[in-house]
Amino acid sequence: MDSLRAVFTDIGKAIRSRRPLVHHITNYVTAGFCADAALAIGASPMMADEPAEMAEIAPQADALVCNLGTIHLAQRDALLAAASLAGRRGIPVILDPVGVMSSSLRLETAKAILALSCVTILKGNAAESRALLSLDGGGRGVDSASEEHPEVLARALAARYHCVAAVTGAVDAVSDGTRLARAANGTPYLSRITGSGCMTGSLMGAAAAVAEDPFYAALWALTCMNVSAEEAERISRGPGTFRACLMDALGRHDGSLLADRFRGSLE
């Protein structure tokens, strides 16, 4: 994994030295946690979702994170305006289509952002991924893909939406339509705190802002979060101390350590 060590080291160092400004239009339940995670790894978070200021705010950012976790109509307008501006200016856009299988507003908003052809990294779980692919519960091949086969969903999303797709679960899969990575790091403790997925999106934003290759930006972010979580679990006493230990571990991220502890494969 020497090549992975070099790439992960470069991304981590670049985040700390350049302190990329990551604009979040995100879930109000987890906004503070996302800001803390971005600060912990060395990035600069900005939370702004007022449509009237997007023309001034969005162009300042080095990356844009769009999270649909607590979507409302005004936020939808902000998301579309900021994503459109980011796309025209070549600013990386991370889309976290939280809960798109649950409401038409979420699904239609996610598809409207994707239709702008501005999304750099699309991150979702299996259910969200299936909704974006308009899949039902039956069929074969992609139609039968689930958490057990995230690589099928990742490849299909990347091909349909011409971006890097990261499908999260017990095993994560990342694909740009050609390459594929499977990553098996992590701990069930991540499901016992609010915002672990949203924070991962923030890490993806910071990494995409500095990395030459968004495929490795997505893989770095997943590995950084999951390896940090494994470290936090070893020394925490429960969900409360786990969150604090997780932030500490994120602040100590190191490319060599991430590569050495990476459990997965690259194709």
Side-chain angles (χ1 to χ4, degrees):
M1 290 292 179
D2 287 342
S3 59
L4 195 62
R5 181 178 292 105
V7 172
F8 280 3
T9 298
D10 287 346
I11 291 173
K13 286 182 176 179
I15 292 172
R16 286 181 171 135
S17 64
R18 290 169 52 182
R19 299 193 63 81
L21 182 62
V22 182
H23 176 196
H24 294 70
I25 302 178
T26 192
N27 184 341
Y28 63 71
V29 175
T30 64
F33 302 140
C34 292
D36 285 345
L39 288 167
I41 63 168
S44 299
M46 174 171 58
M47 274 54 187
D49 64 0
E50 169 52 52
E53 64 177 6
M54 287 303 102
E56 297 173 277
I57 293 290
Q60 299 178 41
D62 296 305
L64 170 66
V65 176
C66 299
N67 181 302
L68 309 188
T70 50
I71 185 80
H72 52 81
L73 292 177
Q75 190 187 68
R76 181 183 189 276
D77 292 342
L79 286 162
L80 290 171
S84 179
L85 282 165
R88 293 200 299 271
R89 292 173 178 265
I91 298 169
V93 176
I94 287 69
L95 175 60
D96 194 343
V98 180
V100 289
M101 64 287 187
S102 301
S103 81
S104 57
L105 175 60
R106 292 170 187 252
L107 183 59
E108 290 166 5
T109 300
K111 288 189 174 181
I113 295 170
L114 287 162
L116 295 171
S117 300
C118 64
V119 173
T120 308
I121 300 173
L122 172 62
K123 180 191 78 71
N125 61 29
E128 293 158 352
S129 300
R130 289 176 58 80
L132 290 174
L133 291 166
S134 303
L135 300 178
D136 58 25
R140 298 181 178 180
V142 174
D143 279 346
S144 62
S146 67
E147 283 194 24
E148 288 73 37
H149 298 286
E151 68 280 357
V152 178
L153 294 170
R155 287 189 188 277
L157 286 168
R160 177 171 297 188
Y161 295 114
H162 308 290
C163 64
V164 170
V167 178
T168 60
V171 175
D172 303 320
V174 179
S175 179
D176 60 0
T178 302
R179 295 169 294 178
L180 175 71
R182 296 180 183 85
N185 291 95
T187 165
Y189 253 81
L190 285 169
S191 65
R192 297 183 65 187
I193 63 169
T194 301
S196 57
C198 299
M199 289 187 282
T200 303
S202 297
L203 269 57
M204 287 183 179
V210 303
E212 295 182 5
D213 189 336
F215 175 83
Y216 284 111
L219 186 60
W220 178 91
L222 287 166
T223 306
C224 187
M225 174 58 71
N226 289 330
V227 169
S228 296
E230 291 171 349
E231 181 179 339
E233 183 185 31
R234 286 194 290 271
I235 58 177
S236 66
R237 300 187 301 278
T241 53
F242 173 76
R243 183 184 293 282
C245 293
L246 175 61
M247 289 298 166
D248 290 343
L250 287 172
R252 294 190 296 268
H253 70 81
D254 172 83
S256 294
L257 176 67
L258 296 182
D260 288 343
R261 294 190 179 175
F262 173 76
R263 296 197 307 275
S265 61
L266 292 168
E267 298 178 10

